[in-house]
Amino acid sequence: MRIKFIRTIYIIIIATGFIIQLSSCSTYDIKTLTPQEEVAGLTKLNEITKGDYTFYVFKKDTGSLKVGYNEVYIQLKNNTTGKYIENANLSWKPLMHMSSMSHACPYSAISKVDGANSLYKGYFIFIMASDATDYWEVTYNYTNGTDTIAKVSDKPTVKAASGKIRYQSFKGTDNTSYFLALVGPTVPKVGTNDITAYLYKKVDMYTFIPVENYTVEIDPRMPDMDNHTSPNNVNLTYDATAKIYKGKLNLSMTGYWKINLIVKDANGTVLKGDAITGTTTASSIYFELEF
Ligand SMILES: [Cu+2]
């Protein structure tokens, strides 16, 4: 009798716990993130107000914008209603003003972040650092059809890349200027990593376009350990849906890795880079990872 009573109480406690968990779970699922919650973990770079609108500019990691790949996020608020615009048609344009000339850099369009209400994202691949006389200007544009509703600009600091190399610019054997930026892995792990990169070419000072159907061959090596490599790597090829180069990078142990690169065009012609063979221990273009 007593055992049965205890067992009943026990079942009630378990069941209650289960129901509470179930209800809190479903509450969480239908909860809409506030604009403030959507930018949690991002670093605010600037907020620029013009007329009724404020543009909020964020980046993914801490610190300044830098030469190479930068993931940038935008929110746009209507200051009259206090509401964030959820279906804005946004565009941007980077331009570097230098003493004797000006030029742009590779950059993406702006798109809504998946599942977000107020947050938009895109990227810049800055090709030069700013300084006292040469500066970047980014213009942000909110349009409706052909009408400009709000247009603002800022002059962000762009620092030289520091630390491990994740960006390469080079002149190809076809005499074209290329810009290759590592996107991931951001946190490498032992074993197979997804490796992703953007590859752009310069058409003129103001026009940089992504190149498709090239190959970025990878040969990861540990220079501090007899330059050994790792098995089962997959070269990067263009994913037309995601519009990015994707491959598989096998980092068989922790430490310093040099990811030697060879970029080939759609015909398989080498544009830049060297095979690791004989006395050649590194390619002229590479990325670095250490973990
Ligand atoms: Cu410049």
Side-chain angles (χ1 to χ4, degrees):
M1 182 65 191
R2 188 176 167 164
I3 286 172
K4 198 173 179 187
F5 175 73
I6 288 169
R7 197 196 290 153
T8 308
I9 294 289
Y10 184 70
I11 287 168
I12 289 168
I13 289 168
I14 296 283
T16 309
F18 184 68
I19 288 163
I20 289 168
Q21 203 180 9
L22 206 68
S23 58
S24 65
C25 238
S26 55
T27 311
Y28 177 79
D29 284 346
I30 56 166
K31 187 176 179 297
T32 311
L33 292 179
T34 64
Q36 289 71 30
E37 286 168 337
E38 288 191 340
V39 297
L42 300 177
T43 303
K44 199 198 310 185
L45 290 173
N46 204 355
E47 55 178 271
I48 318 148
T49 299
K50 187 152 186 195
D52 283 344
Y53 295 95
T54 300
F55 291 74
Y56 298 87
V57 184
F58 301 84
K59 73 190 290 282
K60 189 168 191 179
D61 36 18
T62 56
S64 309
L65 297 171
K66 61 188 185 303
V67 170
Y69 176 75
N70 298 267
E71 209 164 289
V72 176
Y73 294 80
I74 305 282
Q75 280 179 328
L76 176 66
K77 191 165 83 178
N78 181 325
N79 296 315
T80 306
T81 64
K83 291 215 163 72
Y84 286 79
I85 317 291
E86 298 190 354
N87 51 1
N89 191 5
L90 293 173
S91 61
W92 55 16
K93 201 170 245 186
L95 187 66
M96 189 182 209
H97 300 271
M98 305 185 70
S99 50
S100 59
M101 47 96 79
S102 62
H103 63 85
C105 65
Y107 66 101
S108 71
I110 303 178
S111 57
K112 198 77 176 278
V113 172
D114 281 347
N117 293 309
S118 67
L119 197 59
Y120 305 81
K121 75 183 268 196
Y123 63 83
F124 299 108
I125 298 169
F126 289 112
I127 60 176
M128 281 180 76
S130 56
D131 59 29
T133 53
D134 302 329
Y135 63 94
W136 284 96
E137 181 178 30
V138 180
T139 307
Y140 304 89
N141 216 340
Y142 169 33
T143 56
N144 183 5
T146 52
D147 294 339
T148 294
I149 301 172
K151 189 176 184 176
V152 300
S153 69
D154 72 346
K155 293 171 183 167
T157 299
V158 176
K159 295 201 166 160
S162 57
K164 297 290 169 285
I165 291 173
R166 298 178 68 92
Y167 164 73
Q168 292 279 351
S169 64
F170 57 88
K171 181 86 77 156
T173 50
D174 58 354
N175 215 29
T176 300
S177 293
Y178 289 96
F179 308 87
L180 179 61
L182 179 65
V183 175
T186 49
V187 184
K189 61 174 197 283
V190 170
T192 301
N193 294 259
D194 289 319
I195 178 170
T196 50
Y198 288 114
L199 178 61
Y200 277 74
K201 75 174 180 183
K202 183 166 93 176
V203 177
D204 60 44
M205 295 305 270
Y206 303 99
T207 315
F208 296 74
I209 58 169
V211 288
E212 302 173 6
N213 305 320
Y214 284 30
T215 308
V216 182
E217 294 185 0
I218 50 174
D219 187 351
R221 300 274 174 161
M222 294 195 91
D224 305 328
M225 296 187 69
D226 290 334
N227 218 33
H228 77 79
T229 184
S230 64
N232 305 323
N233 292 285
V234 178
N235 293 328
L236 286 78
T237 53
Y238 192 67
D239 181 322
T241 307
K243 295 184 163 44
I244 195 167
Y245 281 82
K246 287 184 178 176
K248 298 281 183 194
L249 174 66
N250 181 17
L251 303 172
S252 49
M253 57 187 293
T254 58
Y256 170 73
W257 287 87
K258 188 178 253 189
I259 319 301
N260 296 283
L261 306 168
I262 298 175
V263 175
K264 290 181 174 173
D265 69 12
N267 301 319
T269 304
V270 174
L271 297 172
K272 185 77 177 179
D274 313 277
I276 311 306
T277 177
T279 55
T280 306
T281 55
S283 174
S284 55
I285 49 169
Y286 56 87
F287 296 136
E288 296 175 308
L289 294 170
E290 189 166 22
F291 67 108

